Every structure is written in structure tokens, then in C-alpha cells.
Amino acid sequence: NQRIKILLYHNTSTGIAGEMNVNPHKFEEQLEWLVKSYKIISLDEAVTLLQKGALSSQASVAITFDDGYQSNYENAYPLLKARGAEAVIFLLSGQNGDSRKTDHLDSFKGYEKELVTWDEARQMAASHVSFGSHGVSHSRLKNLADEKLKNEIISSKDKIESELKKPVRF
């Protein structure tokens, strides 16, 4: 009986150290190994298989990214697309209109704050990448009052669905 592994990535940039970043060359090596060792499936397929109790005899893995950094588009997406590998990005929708930046990682020096543009997200959503909500501002949800919590979750989901014209399941 196989299990489904779910991998979590954040940034895929060069020149940034830390556990929340994987150098693009290392990501490519990891992806090559995953392609040879696992069946790469979408998170949607993983959840469906788990709900049905119909796990494949082949080891499966779902690839996820948090935040939606620019490096996901520039570095990870071309590698995923070239290998026909699916992934999901849990995207921060942003706070101020079309602002595609986040400052939630100010305490982590060197982390990029640029998020994918809506046009880039639409490109990825058309081929191999799905999107989930990661909130509006990356606020710590457990610290929010009910009304702000509701706004953080619903506004993000609504914004992503509006921009990408696709449902956000996760």
C-alpha cells in the first residue's frame, strides 16, 4: 500500500540561503529524481485518491509552493513544464489593488518579496500549475479576530478566482 507524499517548497532562487529556498539547480536535480522515482500528481488528484481510498500501487507525490514568489515562475515553472510535472502554488493575493509584493518575510534577509504577476499566474494556470489561496497578507490566522480572519480567507480566494477564472479548491 503506497502513500502520497506532499512536498512543500517556497522560493527557488540563486544566491539565497535558508530552509525556505532551494537553488534552481538543486530543484532541477530534485525534480529529475522525483520524475524517475514517483508518479507526480496534482494536489487535486491526491485528495481525490485519498477520499476514495484508491491509492495507486505506484508511489505518488504532489508538489506545492507557498506564497507565489517570482522565482516560482522564472525558475520552477519552466522545469515543471518541460517534464510535464504538475504543481500547486498557494498564492498570496496581495493587499493593495494590483500590488504583487509581500513584506511578511522582512525578518528573513535576502528573501525576494516579488510575487508572480497575474499575467504570469494565468500563464502557469493554463499549463501544469494550479493555484490555491494562501491568504491576502500572510497574516497569522490564529491571531486574527473573526471578521479579519473571514476577510483574509474569502478575499484571497475570491481575488484569485476572479483573476484566473478558475475555481480555487484549496
Side-chain angles (χ1 to χ4, degrees):
N1 188 11
Q2 295 291 337
R3 294 179 184 223
I4 298 173
K5 295 180 182 352
I6 301 174
L7 301 180
L8 167 62
Y9 290 94
H10 281 82
N11 221 349
T12 53
S13 291
T14 56
I16 297 176
E19 64 185 32
M20 293 176 67
N21 183 68
V22 175
N23 179 290
H25 299 294
K26 288 288 183 194
F27 179 73
E28 184 173 20
E29 288 175 7
Q30 292 171 13
L31 190 56
E32 284 297 322
W33 181 81
L34 289 169
V35 166
K36 291 175 189 171
S37 305
Y38 291 88
K39 178 182 179 187
I40 299 177
I41 60 175
S42 69
L43 186 59
D44 192 54
E45 183 179 353
V47 170
T48 299
L49 290 171
L50 289 167
Q51 287 173 336
K52 291 180 177 178
L55 297 182
S56 168
S57 61
Q58 183 179 1
S60 300
V61 65
I63 299 172
T64 73
F65 294 86
D66 271 3
D67 303 324
Y69 290 110
Q70 183 63 222
S71 69
N72 298 161
Y73 175 76
E74 292 174 355
N75 300 323
Y77 174 60
L79 297 171
L80 292 163
K81 187 176 176 185
R83 287 153 186 84
E86 302 212 22
V88 61
I89 296 175
F90 288 94
L91 186 61
L92 290 166
S93 64
Q95 297 174 359
N96 304 318
D98 292 329
S99 175
R100 299 301 305 138
K101 293 184 179 182
T102 183
D103 60 5
H104 79 279
L105 292 175
D106 276 344
S107 61
F108 297 95
K109 299 230 183 285
Y111 273 84
E112 294 177 2
K113 296 177 189 148
E114 293 289 324
L115 300 174
V116 297
T117 66
W118 290 116
D119 284 340
E120 291 164 345
R122 282 187 279 277
Q123 263 188 301
M124 290 188 285
S127 177
H128 297 83
V129 177
S130 59
F131 287 86
S133 171
H134 201 52
V136 174
S137 64
H138 208 282
S139 296
R140 299 291 175 221
L141 300 181
K142 68 180 184 177
N143 297 336
L144 298 180
D146 288 350
E147 197 56 39
K148 286 187 177 185
L149 175 64
K150 183 178 174 184
N151 182 60
E152 185 78 17
I153 294 168
I154 293 172
S155 295
S156 173
K157 180 181 186 304
D158 289 349
K159 177 70 173 175
I160 296 167
E161 287 178 337
S162 171
E163 290 288 343
L164 301 184
K165 309 295 187 236
K166 292 191 175 205
V168 171
R169 182 173 176 197
F170 304 106

